[in-house]
Amino acid sequence: MKKLSMVHRRVLDDAQADIGALYRTFHISEQGYSEEQVEKSRARYGENVLSGRTADTVFYRLRRAFVNPFTVILFVLAVISFLTDVVLVSNFSRNVTTPVIILGMLLTSGVVRFVQELRAKRIADHLTQMVSSTVLVLRDGQWVKLSSTELVVGDQVRLLAGDRVPADIRLTAAKDLFVSQSVLTGESAIVEKSAGVLPRGQARSYADCSNLVFMGSSVTGGTGEGIVLAVGEDTVYGGFSTAESHRKNGFDQGANSIAWVLIRFMAVLIPVVFMACGLTKGDWISAFLFALSVAVGLTPEMLPMVINACLAKGSAAMGKKQTVVKNINAMQGFGSMDILCVDKTGTLTGDQIALEYYMDILGNESQAVLDFGYLNSLYHTGVKNHLDEAVVRCRKMPGHRIHYQELEGQYQKLDELPFDHERRFASVLVGRGEEKLLLVKGSIREVCRRCSWIEYKGERRSMGGEGSASVHAIVDDMLEDGMKVLAVAYKPMQRDRLSREDENGLILLGYLAFFDAPKQSAAAAIGRLQKLQVDVRVLTGDNRDVAVSICRRLGIDTARNLTGEELEQLTDNERPVAIERTAVFSELSPKQKVQVVQTLRANGHTVGFLGDGMNDLPAVVESDVGISVDTAAEAVKEAADVVLLKKDLNVLEEGIQEGRKTYANMIKYIKMTASSNFGNMFSVLAASALLPFLPMMSLHLILLNLIYDLSCTAIPWDNVDEEFIAKPRKWDASSVGNFMLWIGPTSSIFDFTTYLFMYFVFCPLFISGGVLFNDLPAHFSGMELAMMQAKYIGMFQAGWFVESMWSQTLVIHMIRTPKLPFIQRRASAPLTLLTLTGITVLTIIPFTPFGAALGFVALPAAYFAYLIPCILLYMVLATSLKKAYVRHCGELL
């Protein structure tokens, strides 16, 4: 039993007070709250939004855009640079350029991400509103439907079967109100609630709080009204969600692991650069500043923005395909999903189930069976399903309308025990004058197990072995043909109230048979999902023969199938293997559906669950990607990550493809940025140790990194190879490290070539008349020497600056696909345009006054005669190494 430590003290006090006292305490009139009272209550008790959603404001998005590990690193570097360049130096030597540019990078990346965050928030808010849960509230004398987030303490609400309880509520009226509190207690038992006063000292667990319903609980049957006592984080559910997250978020774990891989590389490389520069140049201040710029160069400050833009784009694309992505991180979950669990009804079969036969125990048409089944479906207040709807529709049959009107007038409902997935049937007590009948409708096996008698043409006989044999003789053939069959039984009663003990000693009257035809599109959709390497597993509460018949017609492997009873008999060692090999699970309880999902996840799979019934709710919550439909129960829609506006597996196929595209573009940016930055920094490290001057000023590195990152902002809109989306993808931080070590040093080879060419050929030829840098003091002196050295260094740095940008940017096109770039696969137009713009801007800078202010010297035209062949050779080598990497590691991205 769960303790009551999470229940607000005020809520327990109000549960022990009479209803009149509550109306006085909260100043509630018969008209409900007015708008003025609503605002006062909201100001006093808070909004009905849990912590995660409360935080999703513009200010929260602004903070998230500017406060993350990478921006914090940039800010620290800017502060250190300000201290070393401005505060701790003389007036003559002060230079604010470096800290200003670092802050400019931080501001630019933050603003770009903030814009993307706002765009993502608008998309998410718009889509979530389409499927937001609503509740009936009494306001200004009228019962109106409002979003559950608009509730305040003191509101009067009405609850119906299928609703998810929107707050902690004290009941003021209840009629056969049954609630599942499994989300709070983990127990599957259904609890009946009432409106009486809770005696002091009685409540020791949530189940004991008979007049309270808690946020997150699900109404499985009946109706109720009540007063809201606690909202948002003051609720029991709010306390749970604040204390711990019950959902595994593989996306955040993967993103954080990749961030820490990059940070570890920085932690190792930066001290090495600092020591190499300090020991070889003797200027420890310059060495420190240069190591600082290397840290900036290694920081992928646009990573959060690019990831967010990829997710937002995927979410928006899914919105156009009749799919609402409530949790934006679920986009990546779609991409990594390799098992999709579905219920049978409405997914593999049509939503419109037809009642085909109503029969006595020997298979003859029986009006009495239909009448009793009709009354049961009409009067039970649990969550309605397709079978009940099919039975109730029989009153529309020609010539039957008057008959069923008279039947409803004759029999009045007295009590009920709603359907639950342990008993697997619903019981309704009806009365006609002095006559009282218990009517039971549900699972063949469970109903027949409780029957002591069978009735045929008014005669009763003992059930016995002969009765059981007749059941199988009639029912088994229909089940094998894929028909859904329910048993109808009854029992005369003396009392006006029902208990579980009354559901024994029943009289079996007959059967209702339904035809649930497979969807024409389902077989083709399953085939396409299998091509995407997503296995479809069927988890249903239906009879085994029905499930196997339907699945066989749709091409699902039925050779291995398990029932809930067989699942329970497996040992802990046998269960993971059996579940891994089984495609069809039948006769499952909600608890067993959760068990299957948990086992598949423990086996290393990313599991999606598509469900719409209350029995699917626990499994939807437990899965990596919870999927529901717009017509599902409110509680299920509220718990799902993704809501389909059309219940069709074809829509899911498109969602999986979008998820994989989203992941592809995220991992492209991470790998190409990490590898190119690592290659540049590796080159810087070697040059720092070997050259008599720095190969590039810290300011140059920062500017290079900024423009490169801006040119990468179009990656979320890049094309993705069909081969990449052909199989599931999971976050893999280790692959980033391997990729950096393989591809990063490739650019360093051509960086070293550029060093040699610039130092030994170009600079002596165009600057010093053939004299190398180390020999300049022997040929020049004074101001002329200083000027000559500055020009030599300026041209060298300009040459590597341009070559570095060309190689770093073109590698985007090399890495984005295992195919030949520009020939076999082309990047999207926005990415191509932005990368070419970045190359053009960086190439022009040394020829401008801005370049001169940075210390660059204009490059001669002959430089490009070297650069173009150099870059072409680099692309050839990168392509060769790319193929070798694929052979060694299996795939590029």
Side-chain angles (χ1 to χ4, degrees), residues 411-436:
Y411 288 94
Q412 305 300 314
K413 177 184 172 183
L414 302 176
D415 198 10
E416 74 168 308
L417 292 175
F419 178 91
D420 68 55
H421 294 276
E422 301 300 324
R423 290 158 47 248
R424 301 174 68 83
F425 57 81
S427 299
V428 174
L429 181 64
V430 296
R432 183 176 64 174
E434 295 299 317
E435 180 187 25
K436 298 181 183 67

PDB file of all heavy atoms in Angstrom, residues 411-436:
ATOM      1  N   TYR A 411     -37.109  -2.303 -17.892  1.00  0.00           N
ATOM      2  CA  TYR A 411     -35.984  -2.626 -17.013  1.00  0.00           C
ATOM      3  C   TYR A 411     -35.229  -1.352 -16.624  1.00  0.00           C
ATOM      4  O   TYR A 411     -34.750  -0.612 -17.488  1.00  0.00           O
ATOM      5  CB  TYR A 411     -35.019  -3.593 -17.705  1.00  0.00           C
ATOM      6  CG  TYR A 411     -35.552  -4.998 -17.842  1.00  0.00           C
ATOM      7  CD1 TYR A 411     -36.220  -5.410 -19.001  1.00  0.00           C
ATOM      8  CD2 TYR A 411     -35.403  -5.917 -16.805  1.00  0.00           C
ATOM      9  CE1 TYR A 411     -36.710  -6.706 -19.128  1.00  0.00           C
ATOM     10  CE2 TYR A 411     -35.895  -7.213 -16.919  1.00  0.00           C
ATOM     11  CZ  TYR A 411     -36.547  -7.599 -18.079  1.00  0.00           C
ATOM     12  OH  TYR A 411     -37.023  -8.868 -18.187  1.00  0.00           O
ATOM     13  N   GLN A 412     -35.134  -1.111 -15.333  1.00  0.00           N
ATOM     14  CA  GLN A 412     -34.404   0.037 -14.814  1.00  0.00           C
ATOM     15  C   GLN A 412     -33.084  -0.435 -14.190  1.00  0.00           C
ATOM     16  O   GLN A 412     -33.028  -1.496 -13.555  1.00  0.00           O
ATOM     17  CB  GLN A 412     -35.236   0.765 -13.752  1.00  0.00           C
ATOM     18  CG  GLN A 412     -36.616   1.183 -14.231  1.00  0.00           C
ATOM     19  CD  GLN A 412     -36.554   2.134 -15.416  1.00  0.00           C
ATOM     20  OE1 GLN A 412     -35.771   3.088 -15.418  1.00  0.00           O
ATOM     21  NE2 GLN A 412     -37.380   1.881 -16.426  1.00  0.00           N
ATOM     22  N   LYS A 413     -32.067   0.371 -14.359  1.00  0.00           N
ATOM     23  CA  LYS A 413     -30.765   0.013 -13.773  1.00  0.00           C
ATOM     24  C   LYS A 413     -30.786   0.254 -12.273  1.00  0.00           C
ATOM     25  O   LYS A 413     -31.224   1.300 -11.794  1.00  0.00           O
ATOM     26  CB  LYS A 413     -29.653   0.850 -14.416  1.00  0.00           C
ATOM     27  CG  LYS A 413     -28.277   0.589 -13.808  1.00  0.00           C
ATOM     28  CD  LYS A 413     -27.229   1.493 -14.399  1.00  0.00           C
ATOM     29  CE  LYS A 413     -25.919   1.351 -13.649  1.00  0.00           C
ATOM     30  NZ  LYS A 413     -24.866   2.268 -14.151  1.00  0.00           N
ATOM     31  N   LEU A 414     -30.243  -0.717 -11.508  1.00  0.00           N
ATOM     32  CA  LEU A 414     -30.154  -0.607 -10.059  1.00  0.00           C
ATOM     33  C   LEU A 414     -28.714  -0.455  -9.577  1.00  0.00           C
ATOM     34  O   LEU A 414     -28.440   0.311  -8.662  1.00  0.00           O
ATOM     35  CB  LEU A 414     -30.779  -1.851  -9.408  1.00  0.00           C
ATOM     36  CG  LEU A 414     -32.251  -2.125  -9.761  1.00  0.00           C
ATOM     37  CD1 LEU A 414     -32.708  -3.435  -9.132  1.00  0.00           C
ATOM     38  CD2 LEU A 414     -33.138  -0.962  -9.312  1.00  0.00           C
ATOM     39  N   ASP A 415     -27.795  -1.189 -10.195  1.00  0.00           N
ATOM     40  CA  ASP A 415     -26.385  -1.138  -9.759  1.00  0.00           C
ATOM     41  C   ASP A 415     -25.521  -1.752 -10.852  1.00  0.00           C
ATOM     42  O   ASP A 415     -26.040  -2.333 -11.818  1.00  0.00           O
ATOM     43  CB  ASP A 415     -26.213  -1.905  -8.443  1.00  0.00           C
ATOM     44  CG  ASP A 415     -24.912  -1.541  -7.724  1.00  0.00           C
ATOM     45  OD1 ASP A 415     -24.262  -0.560  -8.149  1.00  0.00           O
ATOM     46  OD2 ASP A 415     -24.547  -2.234  -6.763  1.00  0.00           O
ATOM     47  N   GLU A 416     -24.211  -1.633 -10.697  1.00  0.00           N
ATOM     48  CA  GLU A 416     -23.300  -2.247 -11.668  1.00  0.00           C
ATOM     49  C   GLU A 416     -21.941  -2.498 -11.049  1.00  0.00           C
ATOM     50  O   GLU A 416     -21.556  -1.885 -10.040  1.00  0.00           O
ATOM     51  CB  GLU A 416     -23.135  -1.358 -12.904  1.00  0.00           C
ATOM     52  CG  GLU A 416     -22.286  -0.125 -12.678  1.00  0.00           C
ATOM     53  CD  GLU A 416     -21.903   0.593 -13.974  1.00  0.00           C
ATOM     54  OE1 GLU A 416     -21.376  -0.088 -14.876  1.00  0.00           O
ATOM     55  OE2 GLU A 416     -22.124   1.809 -14.046  1.00  0.00           O
ATOM     56  N   LEU A 417     -21.228  -3.413 -11.639  1.00  0.00           N
ATOM     57  CA  LEU A 417     -19.800  -3.608 -11.402  1.00  0.00           C
ATOM     58  C   LEU A 417     -19.145  -3.489 -12.776  1.00  0.00           C
ATOM     59  O   LEU A 417     -19.319  -4.373 -13.623  1.00  0.00           O
ATOM     60  CB  LEU A 417     -19.511  -4.982 -10.788  1.00  0.00           C
ATOM     61  CG  LEU A 417     -20.011  -5.197  -9.357  1.00  0.00           C
ATOM     62  CD1 LEU A 417     -19.775  -6.633  -8.919  1.00  0.00           C
ATOM     63  CD2 LEU A 417     -19.318  -4.229  -8.395  1.00  0.00           C
ATOM     64  N   PRO A 418     -18.418  -2.410 -13.038  1.00  0.00           N
ATOM     65  CA  PRO A 418     -17.935  -2.172 -14.406  1.00  0.00           C
ATOM     66  C   PRO A 418     -16.887  -3.191 -14.835  1.00  0.00           C
ATOM     67  O   PRO A 418     -16.293  -3.893 -14.009  1.00  0.00           O
ATOM     68  CB  PRO A 418     -17.346  -0.762 -14.339  1.00  0.00           C
ATOM     69  CG  PRO A 418     -16.995  -0.560 -12.912  1.00  0.00           C
ATOM     70  CD  PRO A 418     -17.998  -1.336 -12.120  1.00  0.00           C
ATOM     71  N   PHE A 419     -16.677  -3.218 -16.120  1.00  0.00           N
ATOM     72  CA  PHE A 419     -15.677  -4.118 -16.713  1.00  0.00           C
ATOM     73  C   PHE A 419     -14.294  -3.785 -16.173  1.00  0.00           C
ATOM     74  O   PHE A 419     -13.934  -2.619 -16.006  1.00  0.00           O
ATOM     75  CB  PHE A 419     -15.684  -3.938 -18.227  1.00  0.00           C
ATOM     76  CG  PHE A 419     -14.667  -4.781 -18.954  1.00  0.00           C
ATOM     77  CD1 PHE A 419     -15.003  -6.042 -19.414  1.00  0.00           C
ATOM     78  CD2 PHE A 419     -13.376  -4.318 -19.174  1.00  0.00           C
ATOM     79  CE1 PHE A 419     -14.071  -6.822 -20.085  1.00  0.00           C
ATOM     80  CE2 PHE A 419     -12.441  -5.085 -19.837  1.00  0.00           C
ATOM     81  CZ  PHE A 419     -12.786  -6.343 -20.297  1.00  0.00           C
ATOM     82  N   ASP A 420     -13.520  -4.800 -15.851  1.00  0.00           N
ATOM     83  CA  ASP A 420     -12.091  -4.594 -15.618  1.00  0.00           C
ATOM     84  C   ASP A 420     -11.334  -5.749 -16.256  1.00  0.00           C
ATOM     85  O   ASP A 420     -11.923  -6.780 -16.601  1.00  0.00           O
ATOM     86  CB  ASP A 420     -11.748  -4.427 -14.130  1.00  0.00           C
ATOM     87  CG  ASP A 420     -11.952  -5.700 -13.324  1.00  0.00           C
ATOM     88  OD1 ASP A 420     -11.377  -6.735 -13.695  1.00  0.00           O
ATOM     89  OD2 ASP A 420     -12.667  -5.639 -12.311  1.00  0.00           O
ATOM     90  N   HIS A 421     -10.043  -5.580 -16.404  1.00  0.00           N
ATOM     91  CA  HIS A 421      -9.270  -6.524 -17.213  1.00  0.00           C
ATOM     92  C   HIS A 421      -8.752  -7.714 -16.405  1.00  0.00           C
ATOM     93  O   HIS A 421      -8.020  -8.543 -16.951  1.00  0.00           O
ATOM     94  CB  HIS A 421      -8.134  -5.788 -17.904  1.00  0.00           C
ATOM     95  CG  HIS A 421      -8.625  -4.803 -18.920  1.00  0.00           C
ATOM     96  ND1 HIS A 421      -8.939  -5.168 -20.208  1.00  0.00           N
ATOM     97  CD2 HIS A 421      -8.908  -3.488 -18.822  1.00  0.00           C
ATOM     98  CE1 HIS A 421      -9.365  -4.108 -20.872  1.00  0.00           C
ATOM     99  NE2 HIS A 421      -9.351  -3.073 -20.052  1.00  0.00           N
ATOM    100  N   GLU A 422      -9.148  -7.789 -15.152  1.00  0.00           N
ATOM    101  CA  GLU A 422      -8.871  -8.993 -14.384  1.00  0.00           C
ATOM    102  C   GLU A 422     -10.067  -9.950 -14.509  1.00  0.00           C
ATOM    103  O   GLU A 422      -9.902 -11.119 -14.799  1.00  0.00           O
ATOM    104  CB  GLU A 422      -8.612  -8.630 -12.911  1.00  0.00           C
ATOM    105  CG  GLU A 422      -7.438  -7.674 -12.704  1.00  0.00           C
ATOM    106  CD  GLU A 422      -6.130  -8.235 -13.220  1.00  0.00           C
ATOM    107  OE1 GLU A 422      -5.912  -9.461 -13.105  1.00  0.00           O
ATOM    108  OE2 GLU A 422      -5.315  -7.442 -13.745  1.00  0.00           O
ATOM    109  N   ARG A 423     -11.293  -9.421 -14.299  1.00  0.00           N
ATOM    110  CA  ARG A 423     -12.503 -10.240 -14.443  1.00  0.00           C
ATOM    111  C   ARG A 423     -12.862 -10.466 -15.905  1.00  0.00           C
ATOM    112  O   ARG A 423     -13.376 -11.515 -16.270  1.00  0.00           O
ATOM    113  CB  ARG A 423     -13.676  -9.546 -13.735  1.00  0.00           C
ATOM    114  CG  ARG A 423     -13.566  -9.532 -12.249  1.00  0.00           C
ATOM    115  CD  ARG A 423     -14.386  -8.445 -11.553  1.00  0.00           C
ATOM    116  NE  ARG A 423     -15.746  -8.342 -12.024  1.00  0.00           N
ATOM    117  CZ  ARG A 423     -16.203  -7.278 -12.708  1.00  0.00           C
ATOM    118  NH1 ARG A 423     -15.396  -6.275 -12.998  1.00  0.00           N
ATOM    119  NH2 ARG A 423     -17.466  -7.228 -13.091  1.00  0.00           N
ATOM    120  N   ARG A 424     -12.668  -9.437 -16.738  1.00  0.00           N
ATOM    121  CA  ARG A 424     -12.905  -9.494 -18.181  1.00  0.00           C
ATOM    122  C   ARG A 424     -14.389  -9.596 -18.535  1.00  0.00           C
ATOM    123  O   ARG A 424     -14.756 -10.186 -19.537  1.00  0.00           O
ATOM    124  CB  ARG A 424     -12.108 -10.631 -18.826  1.00  0.00           C
ATOM    125  CG  ARG A 424     -10.609 -10.524 -18.618  1.00  0.00           C
ATOM    126  CD  ARG A 424      -9.878 -11.740 -19.140  1.00  0.00           C
ATOM    127  NE  ARG A 424      -9.948 -11.795 -20.585  1.00  0.00           N
ATOM    128  CZ  ARG A 424      -9.142 -11.136 -21.391  1.00  0.00           C
ATOM    129  NH1 ARG A 424      -8.213 -10.336 -20.899  1.00  0.00           N
ATOM    130  NH2 ARG A 424      -9.256 -11.251 -22.692  1.00  0.00           N
ATOM    131  N   PHE A 425     -15.259  -9.024 -17.697  1.00  0.00           N
ATOM    132  CA  PHE A 425     -16.667  -8.918 -18.046  1.00  0.00           C
ATOM    133  C   PHE A 425     -17.279  -7.771 -17.248  1.00  0.00           C
ATOM    134  O   PHE A 425     -16.679  -7.265 -16.291  1.00  0.00           O
ATOM    135  CB  PHE A 425     -17.427 -10.231 -17.793  1.00  0.00           C
ATOM    136  CG  PHE A 425     -17.349 -10.745 -16.381  1.00  0.00           C
ATOM    137  CD1 PHE A 425     -18.175 -10.242 -15.379  1.00  0.00           C
ATOM    138  CD2 PHE A 425     -16.459 -11.766 -16.051  1.00  0.00           C
ATOM    139  CE1 PHE A 425     -18.111 -10.726 -14.091  1.00  0.00           C
ATOM    140  CE2 PHE A 425     -16.384 -12.253 -14.764  1.00  0.00           C
ATOM    141  CZ  PHE A 425     -17.209 -11.728 -13.771  1.00  0.00           C
ATOM    142  N   ALA A 426     -18.481  -7.343 -17.680  1.00  0.00           N
ATOM    143  CA  ALA A 426     -19.206  -6.272 -16.997  1.00  0.00           C
ATOM    144  C   ALA A 426     -20.508  -6.827 -16.457  1.00  0.00           C
ATOM    145  O   ALA A 426     -21.167  -7.653 -17.097  1.00  0.00           O
ATOM    146  CB  ALA A 426     -19.485  -5.115 -17.958  1.00  0.00           C
ATOM    147  N   SER A 427     -20.890  -6.358 -15.267  1.00  0.00           N
ATOM    148  CA  SER A 427     -22.123  -6.819 -14.629  1.00  0.00           C
ATOM    149  C   SER A 427     -23.046  -5.641 -14.382  1.00  0.00           C
ATOM    150  O   SER A 427     -22.610  -4.599 -13.897  1.00  0.00           O
ATOM    151  CB  SER A 427     -21.814  -7.507 -13.290  1.00  0.00           C
ATOM    152  OG  SER A 427     -21.002  -8.639 -13.479  1.00  0.00           O
ATOM    153  N   VAL A 428     -24.325  -5.820 -14.714  1.00  0.00           N
ATOM    154  CA  VAL A 428     -25.327  -4.783 -14.499  1.00  0.00           C
ATOM    155  C   VAL A 428     -26.532  -5.416 -13.804  1.00  0.00           C
ATOM    156  O   VAL A 428     -27.005  -6.492 -14.207  1.00  0.00           O
ATOM    157  CB  VAL A 428     -25.765  -4.135 -15.832  1.00  0.00           C
ATOM    158  CG1 VAL A 428     -26.917  -3.157 -15.589  1.00  0.00           C
ATOM    159  CG2 VAL A 428     -24.597  -3.426 -16.494  1.00  0.00           C
ATOM    160  N   LEU A 429     -27.018  -4.758 -12.749  1.00  0.00           N
ATOM    161  CA  LEU A 429     -28.213  -5.218 -12.047  1.00  0.00           C
ATOM    162  C   LEU A 429     -29.401  -4.378 -12.508  1.00  0.00           C
ATOM    163  O   LEU A 429     -29.363  -3.140 -12.422  1.00  0.00           O
ATOM    164  CB  LEU A 429     -28.030  -5.079 -10.538  1.00  0.00           C
ATOM    165  CG  LEU A 429     -29.201  -5.536  -9.657  1.00  0.00           C
ATOM    166  CD1 LEU A 429     -29.441  -7.037  -9.816  1.00  0.00           C
ATOM    167  CD2 LEU A 429     -28.939  -5.196  -8.189  1.00  0.00           C
ATOM    168  N   VAL A 430     -30.431  -5.032 -13.044  1.00  0.00           N
ATOM    169  CA  VAL A 430     -31.615  -4.322 -13.525  1.00  0.00           C
ATOM    170  C   VAL A 430     -32.847  -4.848 -12.794  1.00  0.00           C
ATOM    171  O   VAL A 430     -32.856  -5.976 -12.268  1.00  0.00           O
ATOM    172  CB  VAL A 430     -31.799  -4.484 -15.054  1.00  0.00           C
ATOM    173  CG1 VAL A 430     -30.636  -3.851 -15.808  1.00  0.00           C
ATOM    174  CG2 VAL A 430     -31.965  -5.949 -15.436  1.00  0.00           C
ATOM    175  N   GLY A 431     -33.899  -4.012 -12.763  1.00  0.00           N
ATOM    176  CA  GLY A 431     -35.120  -4.422 -12.093  1.00  0.00           C
ATOM    177  C   GLY A 431     -36.351  -4.142 -12.945  1.00  0.00           C
ATOM    178  O   GLY A 431     -36.410  -3.133 -13.662  1.00  0.00           O
ATOM    179  N   ARG A 432     -37.325  -5.060 -12.859  1.00  0.00           N
ATOM    180  CA  ARG A 432     -38.620  -4.872 -13.521  1.00  0.00           C
ATOM    181  C   ARG A 432     -39.677  -5.256 -12.506  1.00  0.00           C
ATOM    182  O   ARG A 432     -39.947  -6.439 -12.297  1.00  0.00           O
ATOM    183  CB  ARG A 432     -38.723  -5.737 -14.768  1.00  0.00           C
ATOM    184  CG  ARG A 432     -40.042  -5.511 -15.534  1.00  0.00           C
ATOM    185  CD  ARG A 432     -40.095  -6.308 -16.826  1.00  0.00           C
ATOM    186  NE  ARG A 432     -40.075  -7.755 -16.579  1.00  0.00           N
ATOM    187  CZ  ARG A 432     -40.230  -8.684 -17.536  1.00  0.00           C
ATOM    188  NH1 ARG A 432     -40.402  -8.306 -18.805  1.00  0.00           N
ATOM    189  NH2 ARG A 432     -40.185  -9.965 -17.233  1.00  0.00           N
ATOM    190  N   GLY A 433     -40.252  -4.240 -11.859  1.00  0.00           N
ATOM    191  CA  GLY A 433     -41.173  -4.529 -10.771  1.00  0.00           C
ATOM    192  C   GLY A 433     -40.415  -5.197  -9.642  1.00  0.00           C
ATOM    193  O   GLY A 433     -39.401  -4.693  -9.156  1.00  0.00           O
ATOM    194  N   GLU A 434     -40.899  -6.343  -9.204  1.00  0.00           N
ATOM    195  CA  GLU A 434     -40.240  -7.092  -8.129  1.00  0.00           C
ATOM    196  C   GLU A 434     -39.067  -7.924  -8.635  1.00  0.00           C
ATOM    197  O   GLU A 434     -38.216  -8.369  -7.859  1.00  0.00           O
ATOM    198  CB  GLU A 434     -41.261  -8.008  -7.442  1.00  0.00           C
ATOM    199  CG  GLU A 434     -42.363  -7.276  -6.719  1.00  0.00           C
ATOM    200  CD  GLU A 434     -41.812  -6.379  -5.608  1.00  0.00           C
ATOM    201  OE1 GLU A 434     -40.907  -6.844  -4.885  1.00  0.00           O
ATOM    202  OE2 GLU A 434     -42.274  -5.230  -5.471  1.00  0.00           O
ATOM    203  N   GLU A 435     -39.040  -8.169  -9.951  1.00  0.00           N
ATOM    204  CA  GLU A 435     -37.988  -9.008 -10.535  1.00  0.00           C
ATOM    205  C   GLU A 435     -36.671  -8.231 -10.624  1.00  0.00           C
ATOM    206  O   GLU A 435     -36.630  -7.097 -11.093  1.00  0.00           O
ATOM    207  CB  GLU A 435     -38.400  -9.466 -11.928  1.00  0.00           C
ATOM    208  CG  GLU A 435     -37.356 -10.361 -12.612  1.00  0.00           C
ATOM    209  CD  GLU A 435     -37.699 -10.669 -14.060  1.00  0.00           C
ATOM    210  OE1 GLU A 435     -38.432  -9.858 -14.676  1.00  0.00           O
ATOM    211  OE2 GLU A 435     -37.220 -11.688 -14.563  1.00  0.00           O
ATOM    212  N   LYS A 436     -35.600  -8.868 -10.180  1.00  0.00           N
ATOM    213  CA  LYS A 436     -34.257  -8.275 -10.271  1.00  0.00           C
ATOM    214  C   LYS A 436     -33.336  -9.286 -10.943  1.00  0.00           C
ATOM    215  O   LYS A 436     -33.305 -10.460 -10.540  1.00  0.00           O
ATOM    216  CB  LYS A 436     -33.719  -7.911  -8.895  1.00  0.00           C
ATOM    217  CG  LYS A 436     -34.545  -6.867  -8.151  1.00  0.00           C
ATOM    218  CD  LYS A 436     -33.940  -6.543  -6.805  1.00  0.00           C
ATOM    219  CE  LYS A 436     -34.816  -5.549  -6.048  1.00  0.00           C
ATOM    220  NZ  LYS A 436     -36.129  -6.129  -5.666  1.00  0.00           N
TER     221      LYS A 436
END
